[in-house]
Amino acid sequence: MTSTILIRGAKVLGGEPQDVLIEGETIARVGTGIEAEGATVVDARGAILLPGLVDLHTHLREPGREDSETVLTGTKAAAVGGFTAVHAMANTFPVADTAGVVEQVWRLGRESGYCDVQPVGAVTVGLEGKQLAELGAMHESAAGVRVFSDDGKCVDDAVIMRRALEYVKAFDGVVAQHAQEPRLTEGAQMNEGVVSAELGLGGWPAVAEESIIARDVLLAAHVGSRVHICHLSTAGSVEIVRWAKSKGWDVTAEVTPHHLLLTDELVRSYNPVYKVNPPLRTEADVLALREALADGTIDCVATDHAPHPHEDKDCEWSAAAMGMVGLETALSVVQHTMVDTGLLDWAQVADRMSFRPAAIGRLEGHGRPVAAGEPANLVLVDPAYRGVVDPAGFASRSRNTPYEGRELPGRVTHTFLRGRATVVDGKLA
Ligand SMILES: [Zn+2]
């Protein structure tokens, strides 16, 4: 039986209130005064309707670290955050460097039913940076991998990076680089600057990120291939990406919500919840990143959702794992830093969190306009909501959020995956 849902009075992409009729898996009509007998009606007056969000950078941890997250719990967290598709990073155990592993992750995602999972394939065998993984086999597998990344580690060998860029060009794939020069970041614990000097913690210089980005945009231009830069964190990185785009090179970039809000001043607390890779930077970097996301130099927001179990974070700073969960708070942080500050409107949020990440990943069925005939992958947001972040209520298996106790605006009230409500009134359906 086909279900019919009538979303009434939602501001589509922040515009005038409209009704949206969903029949089965598809948007049937968008307009005003739509009536549909027998439909489930969702009163969405005051809410913003966006296309389902797409994340280019999620760590789901399965296989191998199911104590921090599984595909099921991670996709539940994604749905709560308004996502209908996530790209699952390859740094699992075993590493997603073969057709077998990416197919396993892809299948687990389909079985979850909460959010589509598009596996990212490793660039090199075991993420060791020495030998190219079976990129073609992963692309040709049922998972249809198009994004390749050694994320967590940098592909620091220029010859390997060049070969990967050449290889993926054949099937319009993209290499997503975690830009971190390994020698310049040996023993690094936080951003290199005034705060690291005062605290006596090993510094992580901006140039360690920027030098790799500079090299890789040049390599991508030389090869005529696509490169995507993960989690930009410095003002200098923004300048390099801006320059590469001005040349017409096929370079895209993402920024995380936490790099749009938090600074290295927080490390003074020695609370490992603020330990993340790349590290939290300075206020000047945060402002440059916001401006770059607003003007389109940075294409999209990506969460870098990095769940860790309590015991890996609740220890002294130097021993703690790097990373933060992010799926369930991403849209609120973007509203807080970009919308409520007047830097982006909701149509641009749809662009940076749905259209563009889907386009970069060449993902079908997501990042589509809210229009008749399109798949009903949608999210309703209440922008007037104000709430304090309480990780105890997270759908994620992990709790390592830097926003605990912080008031953030906005709440996802409904998420629809191909017409099925995965979230209703802010709760998993
Ligand atoms: Zn990374």
Side-chain angles (χ1 to χ4, degrees):
M1 200 187 90
T2 305
S3 71
T4 307
I5 299 168
L6 180 60
I7 299 171
R8 202 178 274 302
K11 295 175 184 167
V12 178
L13 272 56
E16 291 301 308
Q18 293 196 290
D19 302 335
V20 175
L21 184 67
I22 301 171
E23 282 176 359
E25 299 187 352
T26 310
I27 299 171
R29 285 179 69 193
V30 180
T32 50
I34 296 175
E35 297 296 335
E37 208 171 316
T40 304
V41 176
V42 177
D43 181 357
R45 283 172 296 181
I48 310 285
L49 183 69
L50 302 176
L53 307 182
V54 175
D55 194 10
L56 271 176
H57 195 142
T58 309
H59 296 277
L60 291 178
R61 303 296 190 214
E62 190 175 1
R65 284 307 301 267
E66 291 84 355
D67 56 329
S68 35
E69 197 80 285
T70 65
V71 171
L72 182 60
T73 59
T75 52
K76 284 180 176 178
V80 168
F83 292 86
T84 53
V86 297
H87 289 73
M89 277 300 173
N91 61 338
T92 49
F93 303 93
V95 170
D97 58 2
T98 62
V101 179
V102 294
E103 280 186 357
Q104 180 195 356
V105 173
W106 175 76
R107 202 174 308 109
L108 287 167
R110 282 173 65 105
E111 286 165 6
S112 90
Y114 285 94
C115 175
D116 287 349
V117 175
Q118 180 58 50
V120 172
V123 174
T124 67
V125 174
L127 307 177
E128 284 175 358
K130 299 214 161 50
Q131 188 189 339
L132 273 192
E134 302 165 9
L135 310 186
M138 288 189 273
H139 172 66
E140 280 156 27
S141 74
V145 177
R146 285 183 190 278
V147 182
F148 295 89
S149 183
D150 275 2
D151 183 66
K153 286 188 177 173
C154 180
V155 181
D156 65 312
D157 183 317
V159 173
I160 296 277
M161 188 62 180
R162 176 186 177 166
R163 287 207 195 109
L165 289 165
E166 285 169 343
Y167 205 111
V168 301
K169 193 181 165 184
F171 48 82
D172 195 25
V174 63
V175 178
Q177 175 70 294
H178 169 117
Q180 178 186 354
E181 211 292 318
R183 292 273 291 141
L184 287 170
T185 50
E186 272 172 23
Q189 292 283 329
M190 67 171 295
N191 178 51
E192 181 180 297
V194 175
V195 181
S196 68
E198 282 181 32
L199 300 181
L201 289 172
W204 189 309
V207 67
E209 175 172 314
E210 293 156 5
S211 57
I212 293 291
I213 297 175
R215 183 200 75 179
D216 286 354
V217 298
L218 290 165
L219 277 175
H222 180 70
V223 171
S225 189
R226 292 203 289 143
V227 70
H228 176 74
I229 311 298
C230 296
H231 40 52
L232 249 66
S233 73
T234 76
S237 297
V238 166
E239 285 309 307
I240 296 164
V241 170
R242 189 172 280 139
W243 170 73
K245 287 192 167 188
S246 77
K247 295 282 195 182
W249 300 340
D250 213 341
V251 173
T252 56
E254 69 189 34
V255 62
T256 70
H258 47 273
H259 288 110
L260 291 171
L261 179 60
L262 309 176
T263 72
D264 62 354
E265 289 292 330
L266 290 162
V267 180
R268 293 184 189 280
S269 68
Y270 288 105
N271 184 343
V273 79
Y274 300 118
K275 189 173 176 183
V276 65
N277 178 352
L280 300 177
R281 303 286 189 179
T282 68
E283 185 74 24
D285 294 308
V286 166
L287 295 177
L289 293 166
R290 288 184 186 184
E291 194 186 311
L293 182 64
D295 72 20
T297 301
I298 296 178
D299 297 80
C300 62
V301 174
T303 68
D304 197 5
H305 177 79
H308 289 293
H310 187 67
E311 59 272 22
D312 290 357
K313 283 301 244 183
D314 189 39
C315 49
E316 67 171 292
W317 179 275
S318 62
M322 288 187 261
M324 304 167 166
V325 292
L327 287 168
E328 294 172 73
T329 49
L331 191 57
S332 287
V333 175
V334 169
Q335 182 184 335
H336 178 58
T337 57
M338 303 299 296
V339 180
D340 293 355
T341 52
L343 289 166
L344 289 182
D345 60 26
W346 286 104
Q348 291 168 316
V349 170
D351 182 64
R352 310 298 196 271
M353 295 187 79
S354 182
F355 299 146
R356 287 221 226 178
I360 292 165
R362 302 291 194 259
L363 199 57
E364 285 171 18
H366 294 273
R368 301 291 308 162
V370 179
E374 296 289 351
N377 296 316
L378 299 165
V379 56
L380 275 171
V381 187
D382 174 8
Y385 179 87
R386 295 289 179 277
V388 173
V389 177
D390 178 9
F394 279 178
S396 170
R397 182 162 280 180
S398 290
R399 301 281 177 267
N400 52 306
T401 174
Y403 311 114
E404 181 171 9
R406 215 183 245 263
E407 188 183 275
L408 286 175
R411 184 174 77 132
V412 169
T413 62
H414 292 71
T415 307
F416 299 93
L417 178 64
R418 282 182 290 281
R420 189 178 87 80
T422 53
V423 173
V424 174
D425 294 328
K427 293 187 177 62
L428 282 170

